Amino acid sequence: MKNYIKADEWSIIEESFDPHHHQISESIFSLGNGRMGQRANFEEAYSGQSLLGNYVAGVYYPDKTRVGWWKNGYPEYFAKVLNAANWTIIDINLDGEQLDFDKCVVSSFRRELNMKEGYLKRNFEAQTTSGKIVKVEAIRFCSMVDDEAAAISYTITPVNFSGTITITPAIDGDIANKDSNYDEKFWDEVSKASQSDGGYVVMRTKKTGFEVATGMKCSIAQNGKPVQPQVKPVVKEKYVASVIELQAQQGQAISIIKYVANLSSQNYKPEDLVNQLNETLSRVSQKGFDTMLAEQAAAWAKKWERNDIIIEGDVSAQQAIRFNIFQLNQTYTGEDDRLNIGPKGFTGEKYGGSTYWDTEAYCVPFYLATAPQKVTRNLLLYRYKQLGEAIENATLLGFKNGAALYPMVTMDGTECHNEWEITFEEIHRNGAIAFAIFNYVRYTGDEAYLADYGLEVLVAIARFWSQRITWSQDKQQYVMLGVTGPNEYENNINNNWYTTTMATWCMDYTMQVIEKVKATAHEKYTALAAKINFDEAVETSRYKHIIEKMYYGYDEKQQVFLQQDGYLDKEQILVKDLPAADRPLNQKWSWDRILRSCYIKQADVLQGIYFFEDRYDTETIRRNFNFYEPRTVHESSLSPCVHAILAAKLGDEARAYEFYLRTARLDLDDYNNDTEDGCHITSMAGTWMSVVEGFGGMRVRDGKLLFQPFIPEKWTSFSFHIGFRGSLLNVKVSKDGVQLKNLSEKPVSVIVYNEEQSVGANSELLVKG
C-alpha cells in the first residue's frame, strides 16, 4: 500500500516527484469529460517509464484474439478502446537542450488535481544537465462544457539564464496500445496539416473505420503580453507541430495556451471532420483559457450540488469519496446511449475499456441517485440496442428461439472475451442486465420502459435460462452445470448458488413484467409477442416448472447457502491463517492451487444476498456473511463494497468502515499494486454505495426511500443528496439524528428507522436516532 498522496478535502496532491510512483500518478491524476480523456502524462519530454494514454469514447479496434488453442464459439477479437493521438505534447528546448523531466534535478514539485473545479495543475523547478534552471506551471482540463475540447496553459520561466527557448506544441498520431496482442498499431493516417497557430491530424482505425480528427490552436505571451513569434510548421507521418523560437530573459515568463479538440466520425460525417474541428477550435479559443476555466468550475459546481458527499471529522475519507465521485463523473455523463462505462474509464488500457456487468451491478445505483433519470435510461438503452448481438452470441453457443446471452466483454454487443471459463461459463452477467431493469423501474417508477424496451430484453434472457439448465434424473430437480460465479477463483463448477438464484429470479421477474405490461399496454404486448414469436402459455409454464423444481445447494450443518457443489470438500483454511507472503494469491499462487482452495475472489453468495436481501432474515444474512467473508481475499476491486453494505446492515460498524476504507482508497493508496494500469472506475460506484447504502442504510421499498443510518466512529457527520422520482433530498446524519432537507417543490415521504416521515416542499425535518 502506498501513502504518498497528501490528505485534502477537495484536491489530490502530490508534493514531490518519485519516478517509482509516476505511472500510478498518471492514473490517479487522469482527466476526462465523458467524451474524451487522458492520463496525466507530462507535457514536456519524459524519457522515464510512462504509459501514454489519450482516449476518445466509443472508438475501438477489434484486436485479433491471441489464444493457444481455439475453441468453438470463441470470439475472433478483443475490442479495445484505443490509445489515440497524443495532444498534450509541448516540447521545450533551452538553447538547444531538451527539457527532459526524467534527466533533470527536480528541486520542487507539486501536482494537484482540483476536484472542486475540474482541472490539473503542476508546478516544478528543475535543473537541466547543463545547469539551466526553469520554473514551470502547467494547468489543463477536459472541458465539461465543450466536451470535444480541452485546454492547456503552460508557463515557463528561466531562473538563472537568458537565452533561446524553443517551444514545440505537437499532435502525435503515431501511437500504439500497450496491450496490443500482436504489437500492431491500430491507426492509419487520413490527412494532416500544420498552420502558423496550430494544426491537425486525422486518423482512421483499421478494420472498424472510425475517423478521429485531433487538432490544436495555440497562442503565446511573453512577460504577460501577447506576442506573434515566427513559427516553423513541421509535418511528418502522423504528426504535426509548430516550432516557436523565442529569446527569453532571466526571470521573465513565457506562456503558451494550447486549445485542443477531438472529433469523431461517430458524430460527424468523415468529410466534415476537418471543418467541424476548425470551427470547434476557433470557438473555444475565442472564449479564451480563463473563460473556459471559469465555465469548467461552474459546470463542476453544478455537478457537486447533487453528487457531493460531505464527511466531517475525517479528511482522508472525505478526499477518497470525492475522488471516486469525481472520476465517475469524468467517465460517463449519460448524454449518449452508444457509450458505456469501461472498468478503467479514461485512465488506462486494461480490460480494453469495454463494457462489463460492472455497469449494471455497481454503477446503475450511483447514477440513479445522482443524475437525471435519462442517464441511467441511456445505460439500459445501450443494452437494448445490442439485444440482437446478444441473441447472436447465444445462437453461436447452441441456444435457440431468441435466447440471449449478453457478452462478458463488449463494445458493440459482440462477445470479445476469450477465456473459456469466463466467455462460456460466467453467465450470471445475464442476470445483472435484468436486475438493472428491475432496479431502474423500482427506483424511478418508469414502468413505460418495460413495455417499450425492457420486456423484450427480459424475455430473451429468460429464454436463455430456461434452456441453460439441465434436468437431473438423480435429483429429480433442475441443476445448473458448468458455470463460473462472481468468484472467478472457481471455474467450471456445478450449481453455483448465485447463478442459479439469478436465473430463477429472472424468469420470475419476467412473468411479473408480462402481467404488468398486459394490464397497462396490451397493444404493445401483443405486438411484441408477435415480433419475437412468444407463446406465453408454453414458455411461462416452463419458467414456472423450473422455478418450482430448481436445486439450490444448502449445508444443514453450517446453515448456509452452498456456493457450489463440493465447496466444503475443499480444505477450509481461513484467510487470516494465510501467510502474508502468499498474498495476493493471483500473483503468488499457481492457478491450479487457487482453484483447489476455498478462497473467494469477491462476493459470490453474498452478492446474491445483497441483491435480494429482502428475501432473507437478518440471522440468515449473518450466518452466510460470517461463513463466507473469512474465506474471501477481496482480490477484486468489486468485493469490499458489497461486504461493507452487508456489514453495516448487520450492525458490524467496525467491519463496515474497514471495507469502506479499502474500496474508497483502493487507487489513491494503490492497495492492489495495480493502479499504474488505470483506476478502478466501476468499483468507485461501489464506494458511493458503501456510504449511501451502507452507512446511510438507504433502500427503495414499495416506491419509497428508506434509511437506517449510523455514523462511523471517526466521523462527526456525513451527508449526501438523493434524487428520487423528481425530488431532491439532502440527508445529513449526525449524533443529533437524521436531518432531512427537501430541496424540491413537492413533499416527500420517507421511512427513517422504520418510521414514516413526511418532508414538505422546500422544508426540513430532524428525526432523532
Side-chain angles (χ1 to χ4, degrees), residues 99 123 163 310 513 677:
L99 178 63
N123 297 84
I310 299 173
V513 173
D677 296 328

Side-chain angles (χ1 to χ4, degrees), residues 233-304:
V234 175
V235 178
K236 298 188 291 188
E237 184 182 2
K238 302 180 180 180
Y239 176 95
V240 297
S242 300
V243 181
I244 304 164
E245 191 173 286
L246 296 162
Q247 295 305 308
Q249 301 299 314
Q250 182 177 342
Q252 291 188 359
I254 296 174
S255 298
I256 177 171
I257 306 295
K258 183 178 182 181
Y259 303 96
V260 177
N262 271 313
L263 273 64
S264 163
S265 60
Q266 279 194 310
N267 305 309
Y268 304 94
K269 293 179 181 179
E271 60 269 24
D272 294 337
L273 275 175
V274 172
N275 285 338
Q276 293 290 340
L277 177 73
N278 287 331
E279 285 183 17
T280 301
L281 287 170
S282 177
R283 174 168 49 81
V284 297
S285 63
Q286 284 176 21
K287 286 185 183 181
F289 185 86
D290 291 343
T291 297
M292 288 185 71
L293 189 59
E295 289 179 342
Q296 180 81 343
W300 273 103
K302 188 173 181 180
K303 286 188 174 293
W304 286 117

Side-chain angles (χ1 to χ4, degrees), residues 91-99 128 130 132 161 163-166 245-246:
D91 192 55
I92 304 294
N93 271 263
L94 312 173
D95 286 330
E97 180 183 19
Q98 186 180 44
L99 178 63
T128 67
S130 68
K132 293 183 174 64
F161 71 98
T164 302
I165 292 184
T166 305
E245 191 173 286
L246 296 162

Side-chain angles (χ1 to χ4, degrees), residues 399-405 430-431 434 455-469 502-511 514 534 539-540 542-543 546:
F399 296 89
K400 302 174 182 178
N401 191 34
L405 176 59
N430 243 19
L455 181 56
E456 187 173 354
V457 173
L458 291 171
V459 169
I461 289 173
R463 284 172 162 174
F464 171 83
W465 290 123
S466 72
Q467 296 175 44
R468 182 57 172 77
I469 47 77
M502 288 299 288
T504 54
W505 174 84
C506 285
M507 288 183 279
D508 183 62
Y509 180 56
T510 299
M511 290 189 290
I514 288 169
F534 183 63
E539 295 197 44
T540 59
R542 178 163 173 78
Y543 301 163
I546 293 169

Side-chain angles (χ1 to χ4, degrees), residues 435-616:
F435 191 83
I437 295 171
F438 161 75
N439 210 8
Y440 169 77
V441 175
R442 170 177 67 172
Y443 197 95
T444 65
D446 180 14
E447 294 189 354
Y449 183 85
L450 297 173
D452 292 339
Y453 307 105
L455 181 56
E456 187 173 354
V457 173
L458 291 171
V459 169
I461 289 173
R463 284 172 162 174
F464 171 83
W465 290 123
S466 72
Q467 296 175 44
R468 182 57 172 77
I469 47 77
T470 301
W471 177 256
S472 167
Q473 197 66 34
D474 178 61
K475 287 184 169 64
Q476 288 293 294
Q477 288 179 289
Y478 290 102
V479 293
M480 186 76 73
L481 306 179
V483 298
T484 297
N487 173 26
E488 293 172 340
Y489 289 176
E490 302 274 8
N491 301 150
N492 197 29
I493 57 177
N494 295 334
N495 299 310
N496 171 253
W497 181 87
Y498 173 76
T499 304
T500 300
T501 298
M502 288 299 288
T504 54
W505 174 84
C506 285
M507 288 183 279
D508 183 62
Y509 180 56
T510 299
M511 290 189 290
Q512 293 177 40
V513 173
I514 288 169
E515 293 306 314
K516 188 171 291 185
V517 172
K518 282 168 62 178
T520 60
H522 196 271
E523 289 185 6
K524 289 184 177 181
Y525 173 77
T526 302
L528 175 62
K531 173 185 174 183
I532 64 176
N533 194 27
F534 183 63
D535 188 328
E536 181 185 338
V538 171
E539 295 197 44
T540 59
S541 175
R542 178 163 173 78
Y543 301 163
K544 291 172 184 175
H545 192 254
I546 293 169
I547 293 168
E548 179 186 348
K549 296 291 186 179
M550 198 73 206
Y551 166 76
Y552 302 89
Y554 185 80
D555 182 68
E556 294 289 349
K557 183 178 179 181
Q558 301 285 347
Q559 292 189 297
V560 297
F561 304 122
L562 201 56
Q563 182 176 270
Q564 78 265 351
D565 289 355
Y567 179 76
L568 291 176
D569 292 338
K570 296 169 177 285
E571 190 175 18
Q572 299 293 315
I573 300 174
L574 302 184
V575 173
K576 68 179 179 62
D577 298 320
L578 270 175
D582 284 8
R583 304 282 303 278
L585 301 185
N586 58 22
Q587 297 176 23
K588 301 297 180 65
W589 281 17
S590 69
W591 197 243
D592 168 71
R593 189 178 180 188
I594 289 173
L595 291 176
R596 288 187 289 107
S597 77
C598 71
Y599 300 119
I600 300 168
K601 180 184 179 186
Q602 67 190 78
D604 194 303
V605 168
L606 297 183
Q607 182 77 42
I609 289 176
Y610 163 70
F611 277 154
F612 306 118
E613 68 169 38
D614 289 349
R615 291 183 174 187
Y616 312 110

Side-chain angles (χ1 to χ4, degrees), residues 171-185:
I171 303 287
D172 185 5
D174 192 19
I175 297 297
N177 269 50
K178 182 180 179 181
D179 65 350
S180 171
N181 283 337
Y182 295 91
D183 298 323
E184 180 183 8
K185 291 185 176 180

